[in-house]
Amino acid sequence: MTHVAPVGGTAVQDHVALAEIELCGELIIAASAADEDRLSLESIDEVLRVAEERASAGG
């Protein structure tokens, strides 16, 4: 027996998973555009907006 998701907008969205997929996509784009073989830790933090998150969480 095959189970198929119902049609009609009843799909559940996992917002955390969608955010992670978006961030992974941004990292892939940054890596493909980088001049070096690898992104530096600073570049990764910039793509992931780590400083912005720390600032908003801390104050």
Side-chain angles (χ1 to χ4, degrees):
M1 177 189 245
T2 303
H3 295 281
V4 179
V7 179
T10 60
V12 176
Q13 289 188 1
D14 184 340
H15 297 287
V16 174
L18 292 174
E20 289 177 358
I21 292 167
E22 183 179 338
L23 290 174
C24 287
E26 291 178 18
L27 282 173
I28 291 168
I29 292 168
S32 66
D35 292 332
E36 304 96 29
D37 288 338
R38 297 180 180 198
L39 290 176
S40 66
L41 293 177
E42 292 81 16
S43 296
I44 293 171
D45 285 350
E46 184 178 330
V47 170
L48 298 178
R49 297 180 291 281
V50 172
E52 294 172 20
E53 288 297 318
R54 285 184 180 156
S56 66

Short mmCIF file of all heavy atoms in Angstrom, two decimals:
data_model
loop_
_atom_site.label_atom_id
_atom_site.label_comp_id
_atom_site.label_asym_id
_atom_site.label_seq_id
_atom_site.Cartn_x
_atom_site.Cartn_y
_atom_site.Cartn_z
N MET A 1 0.84 -1.17 0.00
CA MET A 1 0.00 0.00 0.00
C MET A 1 0.89 1.24 0.00
O MET A 1 1.82 1.35 0.78
CB MET A 1 -0.92 -0.02 1.22
CG MET A 1 -1.77 1.22 1.33
SD MET A 1 -2.63 1.27 2.90
CE MET A 1 -4.28 1.15 2.35
N THR A 2 0.61 2.18 -0.88
CA THR A 2 1.38 3.41 -0.99
C THR A 2 0.62 4.55 -0.33
O THR A 2 -0.57 4.73 -0.55
CB THR A 2 1.62 3.77 -2.47
OG1 THR A 2 2.26 2.66 -3.10
CG2 THR A 2 2.45 5.01 -2.61
N HIS A 3 1.34 5.31 0.50
CA HIS A 3 0.74 6.47 1.16
C HIS A 3 1.17 7.72 0.42
O HIS A 3 2.35 7.93 0.16
CB HIS A 3 1.19 6.55 2.62
CG HIS A 3 0.69 5.41 3.44
ND1 HIS A 3 -0.58 5.35 3.93
CD2 HIS A 3 1.31 4.28 3.86
CE1 HIS A 3 -0.74 4.24 4.61
NE2 HIS A 3 0.41 3.56 4.59
N VAL A 4 0.22 8.56 0.10
CA VAL A 4 0.49 9.79 -0.63
C VAL A 4 -0.01 10.95 0.22
O VAL A 4 -1.07 10.87 0.84
CB VAL A 4 -0.24 9.79 -2.00
CG1 VAL A 4 0.02 11.08 -2.74
CG2 VAL A 4 0.19 8.58 -2.82
N ALA A 5 0.77 12.02 0.26
CA ALA A 5 0.36 13.21 1.01
C ALA A 5 -0.91 13.78 0.42
O ALA A 5 -1.07 13.83 -0.81
CB ALA A 5 1.47 14.25 0.99
N PRO A 6 -1.84 14.19 1.26
CA PRO A 6 -3.09 14.74 0.74
C PRO A 6 -2.87 16.06 0.02
O PRO A 6 -1.97 16.83 0.35
CB PRO A 6 -3.95 14.94 2.00
CG PRO A 6 -3.00 14.91 3.14
CD PRO A 6 -1.79 14.14 2.70
N VAL A 7 -3.70 16.32 -0.95
CA VAL A 7 -3.63 17.55 -1.73
C VAL A 7 -4.57 18.57 -1.08
O VAL A 7 -5.63 18.22 -0.58
CB VAL A 7 -4.06 17.29 -3.19
CG1 VAL A 7 -4.01 18.58 -4.01
CG2 VAL A 7 -3.19 16.22 -3.81
N GLY A 8 -4.17 19.83 -1.10
CA GLY A 8 -5.07 20.84 -0.59
C GLY A 8 -4.49 21.71 0.51
O GLY A 8 -5.21 22.23 1.33
N GLY A 9 -3.17 21.84 0.55
CA GLY A 9 -2.55 22.77 1.49
C GLY A 9 -2.46 22.26 2.92
O GLY A 9 -2.41 23.06 3.84
N THR A 10 -2.46 20.98 3.13
CA THR A 10 -2.35 20.46 4.49
C THR A 10 -0.92 20.09 4.86
O THR A 10 -0.70 19.51 5.91
CB THR A 10 -3.25 19.23 4.66
OG1 THR A 10 -2.84 18.23 3.74
CG2 THR A 10 -4.71 19.58 4.47
N ALA A 11 0.04 20.41 4.02
CA ALA A 11 1.45 20.10 4.29
C ALA A 11 1.95 20.92 5.48
O ALA A 11 1.59 22.08 5.66
CB ALA A 11 2.30 20.37 3.07
N VAL A 12 2.76 20.28 6.30
CA VAL A 12 3.34 20.95 7.46
C VAL A 12 4.68 21.53 7.05
O VAL A 12 5.47 20.85 6.39
CB VAL A 12 3.52 19.94 8.61
CG1 VAL A 12 4.21 20.59 9.80
CG2 VAL A 12 2.19 19.35 9.02
N GLN A 13 4.93 22.77 7.43
CA GLN A 13 6.21 23.38 7.12
C GLN A 13 7.06 23.42 8.38
O GLN A 13 6.61 23.85 9.43
CB GLN A 13 6.01 24.80 6.59
CG GLN A 13 5.41 24.86 5.22
CD GLN A 13 5.42 26.27 4.66
OE1 GLN A 13 5.90 27.20 5.28
NE2 GLN A 13 4.87 26.42 3.48
N ASP A 14 8.28 22.96 8.25
CA ASP A 14 9.24 23.00 9.33
C ASP A 14 10.10 24.25 9.11
O ASP A 14 11.02 24.25 8.30
CB ASP A 14 10.09 21.73 9.32
CG ASP A 14 11.04 21.66 10.50
OD1 ASP A 14 11.33 22.71 11.10
OD2 ASP A 14 11.50 20.55 10.81
N HIS A 15 9.80 25.31 9.85
CA HIS A 15 10.47 26.60 9.62
C HIS A 15 11.95 26.54 9.95
O HIS A 15 12.75 27.21 9.31
CB HIS A 15 9.77 27.70 10.41
CG HIS A 15 8.34 27.90 9.98
ND1 HIS A 15 8.03 28.51 8.78
CD2 HIS A 15 7.17 27.55 10.54
CE1 HIS A 15 6.72 28.54 8.64
NE2 HIS A 15 6.17 27.95 9.69
N VAL A 16 12.33 25.73 10.93
CA VAL A 16 13.75 25.59 11.27
C VAL A 16 14.49 24.91 10.12
O VAL A 16 15.56 25.36 9.71
CB VAL A 16 13.92 24.80 12.59
CG1 VAL A 16 15.39 24.52 12.86
CG2 VAL A 16 13.29 25.55 13.75
N ALA A 17 13.91 23.86 9.58
CA ALA A 17 14.55 23.16 8.46
C ALA A 17 14.65 24.08 7.25
O ALA A 17 15.67 24.09 6.56
CB ALA A 17 13.78 21.90 8.11
N LEU A 18 13.61 24.86 6.98
CA LEU A 18 13.66 25.78 5.85
C LEU A 18 14.74 26.83 6.03
O LEU A 18 15.44 27.19 5.09
CB LEU A 18 12.29 26.45 5.65
CG LEU A 18 11.16 25.54 5.19
CD1 LEU A 18 9.83 26.30 5.19
CD2 LEU A 18 11.45 24.97 3.82
N ALA A 19 14.91 27.32 7.26
CA ALA A 19 15.96 28.31 7.54
C ALA A 19 17.34 27.68 7.35
O ALA A 19 18.25 28.32 6.80
CB ALA A 19 15.81 28.86 8.95
N GLU A 20 17.51 26.44 7.79
CA GLU A 20 18.79 25.76 7.61
C GLU A 20 19.11 25.53 6.14
O GLU A 20 20.25 25.71 5.71
CB GLU A 20 18.79 24.42 8.35
CG GLU A 20 18.82 24.57 9.86
CD GLU A 20 18.74 23.24 10.58
OE1 GLU A 20 18.63 22.19 9.93
OE2 GLU A 20 18.81 23.26 11.82
N ILE A 21 18.10 25.18 5.37
CA ILE A 21 18.30 24.99 3.93
C ILE A 21 18.70 26.31 3.27
O ILE A 21 19.61 26.33 2.43
CB ILE A 21 17.03 24.41 3.28
CG1 ILE A 21 16.81 22.97 3.77
CG2 ILE A 21 17.09 24.48 1.76
CD1 ILE A 21 15.44 22.41 3.46
N GLU A 22 18.07 27.39 3.68
CA GLU A 22 18.42 28.70 3.13
C GLU A 22 19.87 29.07 3.45
O GLU A 22 20.61 29.55 2.59
CB GLU A 22 17.47 29.77 3.67
CG GLU A 22 17.72 31.14 3.10
CD GLU A 22 16.75 32.19 3.63
OE1 GLU A 22 15.66 31.82 4.09
OE2 GLU A 22 17.09 33.38 3.55
N LEU A 23 20.28 28.84 4.70
CA LEU A 23 21.66 29.14 5.08
C LEU A 23 22.66 28.28 4.34
O LEU A 23 23.72 28.76 3.92
CB LEU A 23 21.84 28.97 6.60
CG LEU A 23 21.14 30.01 7.46
CD1 LEU A 23 21.26 29.64 8.94
CD2 LEU A 23 21.69 31.41 7.21
N CYS A 24 22.34 27.02 4.15
CA CYS A 24 23.22 26.13 3.38
C CYS A 24 23.36 26.63 1.95
O CYS A 24 24.45 26.64 1.38
CB CYS A 24 22.69 24.70 3.38
SG CYS A 24 22.91 23.86 4.94
N GLY A 25 22.26 27.07 1.38
CA GLY A 25 22.29 27.63 0.03
C GLY A 25 23.17 28.85 -0.05
O GLY A 25 23.96 29.02 -1.00
N GLU A 26 23.07 29.72 0.95
CA GLU A 26 23.91 30.93 0.98
C GLU A 26 25.39 30.56 1.09
O GLU A 26 26.25 31.19 0.47
CB GLU A 26 23.47 31.84 2.11
CG GLU A 26 22.11 32.47 1.86
CD GLU A 26 21.63 33.34 3.00
OE1 GLU A 26 22.45 33.75 3.84
OE2 GLU A 26 20.42 33.61 3.05
N LEU A 27 25.69 29.53 1.89
CA LEU A 27 27.09 29.08 2.01
C LEU A 27 27.59 28.51 0.69
O LEU A 27 28.74 28.75 0.30
CB LEU A 27 27.22 28.04 3.11
CG LEU A 27 27.26 28.56 4.54
CD1 LEU A 27 27.21 27.41 5.52
CD2 LEU A 27 28.49 29.42 4.77
N ILE A 28 26.76 27.75 0.01
CA ILE A 28 27.16 27.18 -1.28
C ILE A 28 27.44 28.28 -2.29
O ILE A 28 28.44 28.23 -3.03
CB ILE A 28 26.08 26.20 -1.79
CG1 ILE A 28 26.04 24.97 -0.90
CG2 ILE A 28 26.31 25.83 -3.25
CD1 ILE A 28 24.83 24.08 -1.11
N ILE A 29 26.59 29.28 -2.33
CA ILE A 29 26.79 30.41 -3.25
C ILE A 29 28.08 31.14 -2.92
O ILE A 29 28.88 31.46 -3.81
CB ILE A 29 25.59 31.36 -3.22
CG1 ILE A 29 24.37 30.66 -3.82
CG2 ILE A 29 25.89 32.67 -3.94
CD1 ILE A 29 23.05 31.38 -3.58
N ALA A 30 28.32 31.40 -1.63
CA ALA A 30 29.54 32.10 -1.22
C ALA A 30 30.78 31.27 -1.56
O ALA A 30 31.79 31.81 -2.02
CB ALA A 30 29.49 32.40 0.27
N ALA A 31 30.71 29.96 -1.33
CA ALA A 31 31.85 29.10 -1.63
C ALA A 31 32.15 29.06 -3.12
O ALA A 31 33.31 29.07 -3.53
CB ALA A 31 31.61 27.69 -1.09
N SER A 32 31.11 29.04 -3.93
CA SER A 32 31.33 28.99 -5.38
C SER A 32 31.88 30.30 -5.92
O SER A 32 32.55 30.31 -6.95
CB SER A 32 30.05 28.60 -6.11
OG SER A 32 29.08 29.63 -5.98
N ALA A 33 31.62 31.39 -5.22
CA ALA A 33 32.10 32.70 -5.66
C ALA A 33 33.46 33.06 -5.05
O ALA A 33 34.08 34.05 -5.45
CB ALA A 33 31.08 33.78 -5.30
N ALA A 34 33.94 32.26 -4.11
CA ALA A 34 35.19 32.58 -3.40
C ALA A 34 36.39 32.39 -4.31
O ALA A 34 36.41 31.52 -5.18
CB ALA A 34 35.33 31.69 -2.17
N ASP A 35 37.40 33.22 -4.09
CA ASP A 35 38.64 33.13 -4.85
C ASP A 35 39.53 32.00 -4.34
O ASP A 35 40.30 31.42 -5.09
CB ASP A 35 39.41 34.45 -4.77
CG ASP A 35 38.69 35.57 -5.49
OD1 ASP A 35 37.94 35.28 -6.45
OD2 ASP A 35 38.85 36.74 -5.09
N GLU A 36 39.43 31.70 -3.04
CA GLU A 36 40.26 30.65 -2.45
C GLU A 36 39.58 29.29 -2.61
O GLU A 36 38.44 29.20 -3.01
CB GLU A 36 40.47 30.93 -0.94
CG GLU A 36 41.08 32.29 -0.64
CD GLU A 36 40.02 33.32 -0.31
OE1 GLU A 36 38.97 32.94 0.21
OE2 GLU A 36 40.25 34.49 -0.57
N ASP A 37 40.33 28.25 -2.22
CA ASP A 37 39.77 26.90 -2.26
C ASP A 37 38.70 26.70 -1.20
O ASP A 37 37.77 25.94 -1.39
CB ASP A 37 40.87 25.85 -2.05
CG ASP A 37 41.79 25.74 -3.26
OD1 ASP A 37 41.37 26.13 -4.36
OD2 ASP A 37 42.92 25.25 -3.09
N ARG A 38 38.86 27.38 -0.07
CA ARG A 38 37.93 27.25 1.04
C ARG A 38 37.56 28.62 1.58
O ARG A 38 38.34 29.56 1.50
CB ARG A 38 38.55 26.44 2.17
CG ARG A 38 38.89 25.04 1.80
CD ARG A 38 39.49 24.33 2.97
NE ARG A 38 39.80 22.96 2.58
CZ ARG A 38 40.01 22.00 3.43
NH1 ARG A 38 39.98 22.23 4.71
NH2 ARG A 38 40.27 20.78 3.01
N LEU A 39 36.38 28.71 2.17
CA LEU A 39 36.00 29.94 2.84
C LEU A 39 36.71 30.02 4.18
O LEU A 39 36.84 29.01 4.88
CB LEU A 39 34.48 29.96 3.08
CG LEU A 39 33.58 30.13 1.88
CD1 LEU A 39 32.11 30.03 2.32
CD2 LEU A 39 33.82 31.45 1.19
N SER A 40 37.13 31.20 4.55
CA SER A 40 37.72 31.38 5.87
C SER A 40 36.61 31.35 6.91
O SER A 40 35.43 31.52 6.59
CB SER A 40 38.45 32.73 5.94
OG SER A 40 37.50 33.79 5.84
N LEU A 41 36.99 31.14 8.16
CA LEU A 41 36.00 31.15 9.23
C LEU A 41 35.29 32.50 9.31
O LEU A 41 34.09 32.57 9.57
CB LEU A 41 36.65 30.81 10.56
CG LEU A 41 37.19 29.38 10.70
CD1 LEU A 41 37.88 29.20 12.04
CD2 LEU A 41 36.08 28.37 10.51
N GLU A 42 36.03 33.56 9.04
CA GLU A 42 35.44 34.90 9.07
C GLU A 42 34.40 35.05 7.94
O GLU A 42 33.34 35.64 8.14
CB GLU A 42 36.52 35.97 8.93
CG GLU A 42 37.46 36.07 10.12
CD GLU A 42 38.57 35.01 10.10
OE1 GLU A 42 38.81 34.39 9.03
OE2 GLU A 42 39.18 34.80 11.15
N SER A 43 34.71 34.50 6.79
CA SER A 43 33.77 34.56 5.67
C SER A 43 32.50 33.77 5.96
O SER A 43 31.39 34.21 5.66
CB SER A 43 34.41 34.02 4.39
OG SER A 43 35.49 34.83 3.99
N ILE A 44 32.67 32.60 6.57
CA ILE A 44 31.51 31.79 6.93
C ILE A 44 30.64 32.53 7.94
O ILE A 44 29.42 32.59 7.80
CB ILE A 44 31.96 30.42 7.48
CG1 ILE A 44 32.63 29.61 6.36
CG2 ILE A 44 30.79 29.66 8.10
CD1 ILE A 44 33.31 28.34 6.85
N ASP A 45 31.28 33.12 8.95
CA ASP A 45 30.53 33.89 9.94
C ASP A 45 29.78 35.05 9.30
O ASP A 45 28.65 35.36 9.67
CB ASP A 45 31.46 34.42 11.03
CG ASP A 45 31.91 33.33 12.00
OD1 ASP A 45 31.36 32.22 11.94
OD2 ASP A 45 32.81 33.62 12.82
N GLU A 46 30.42 35.68 8.32
CA GLU A 46 29.77 36.80 7.63
C GLU A 46 28.55 36.33 6.84
O GLU A 46 27.49 36.96 6.90
CB GLU A 46 30.77 37.47 6.68
CG GLU A 46 30.24 38.70 5.99
CD GLU A 46 31.28 39.35 5.10
OE1 GLU A 46 32.48 39.25 5.41
OE2 GLU A 46 30.88 39.95 4.09
N VAL A 47 28.68 35.22 6.13
CA VAL A 47 27.56 34.68 5.35
C VAL A 47 26.41 34.29 6.27
O VAL A 47 25.24 34.55 5.98
CB VAL A 47 28.01 33.46 4.51
CG1 VAL A 47 26.82 32.76 3.89
CG2 VAL A 47 29.00 33.89 3.44
N LEU A 48 26.74 33.69 7.41
CA LEU A 48 25.72 33.23 8.34
C LEU A 48 25.23 34.35 9.28
O LEU A 48 24.37 34.10 10.12
CB LEU A 48 26.25 32.06 9.17
CG LEU A 48 26.62 30.81 8.38
CD1 LEU A 48 27.16 29.73 9.31
CD2 LEU A 48 25.43 30.29 7.59
N ARG A 49 25.81 35.53 9.14
CA ARG A 49 25.42 36.70 9.94
C ARG A 49 25.56 36.42 11.44
O ARG A 49 24.68 36.75 12.24
CB ARG A 49 24.01 37.16 9.58
CG ARG A 49 23.89 37.63 8.15
CD ARG A 49 22.52 38.09 7.76
NE ARG A 49 21.50 37.06 7.69
CZ ARG A 49 21.32 36.21 6.67
NH1 ARG A 49 22.11 36.27 5.64
NH2 ARG A 49 20.35 35.33 6.69
N VAL A 50 26.67 35.80 11.82
CA VAL A 50 26.91 35.44 13.21
C VAL A 50 27.00 36.67 14.09
O VAL A 50 26.41 36.71 15.18
CB VAL A 50 28.19 34.57 13.34
CG1 VAL A 50 28.57 34.34 14.78
CG2 VAL A 50 27.99 33.24 12.62
N ALA A 51 27.72 37.69 13.66
CA ALA A 51 27.88 38.90 14.48
C ALA A 51 26.54 39.57 14.73
O ALA A 51 26.26 40.03 15.85
CB ALA A 51 28.85 39.87 13.80
N GLU A 52 25.68 39.62 13.71
CA GLU A 52 24.36 40.22 13.87
C GLU A 52 23.53 39.45 14.89
O GLU A 52 22.84 40.04 15.72
CB GLU A 52 23.63 40.25 12.53
CG GLU A 52 24.26 41.15 11.50
CD GLU A 52 23.61 41.00 10.14
OE1 GLU A 52 22.48 40.51 10.04
OE2 GLU A 52 24.26 41.36 9.14
N GLU A 53 23.59 38.14 14.82
CA GLU A 53 22.83 37.30 15.75
C GLU A 53 23.33 37.47 17.18
O GLU A 53 22.55 37.54 18.12
CB GLU A 53 22.90 35.83 15.34
CG GLU A 53 22.11 35.51 14.11
CD GLU A 53 20.62 35.74 14.31
OE1 GLU A 53 20.07 35.38 15.37
OE2 GLU A 53 19.99 36.31 13.40
N ARG A 54 24.65 37.53 17.34
CA ARG A 54 25.23 37.72 18.68
C ARG A 54 24.82 39.08 19.23
O ARG A 54 24.52 39.21 20.40
CB ARG A 54 26.74 37.59 18.63
CG ARG A 54 27.20 36.17 18.49
CD ARG A 54 28.71 36.06 18.56
NE ARG A 54 29.10 34.68 18.41
CZ ARG A 54 30.29 34.30 17.98
NH1 ARG A 54 31.20 35.19 17.67
NH2 ARG A 54 30.57 33.02 17.88
N ALA A 55 24.84 40.11 18.40
CA ALA A 55 24.48 41.45 18.84
C ALA A 55 23.02 41.52 19.27
O ALA A 55 22.68 42.12 20.28
CB ALA A 55 24.76 42.47 17.74
N SER A 56 22.15 40.89 18.49
CA SER A 56 20.72 40.94 18.82
C SER A 56 20.39 40.07 20.04
O SER A 56 19.49 40.38 20.80
CB SER A 56 19.87 40.52 17.63
OG SER A 56 20.07 39.16 17.32
N ALA A 57 21.15 39.00 20.25
CA ALA A 57 20.91 38.13 21.40
C ALA A 57 21.48 38.73 22.68
O ALA A 57 20.95 38.51 23.77
CB ALA A 57 21.51 36.75 21.16
N GLY A 58 22.55 39.50 22.53
CA GLY A 58 23.21 40.04 23.72
C GLY A 58 22.71 41.39 24.17
O GLY A 58 22.98 41.83 25.27
N GLY A 59 21.96 42.05 23.35
CA GLY A 59 21.59 43.38 23.79
C GLY A 59 20.46 43.89 23.08
O GLY A 59 19.63 44.59 23.13
#
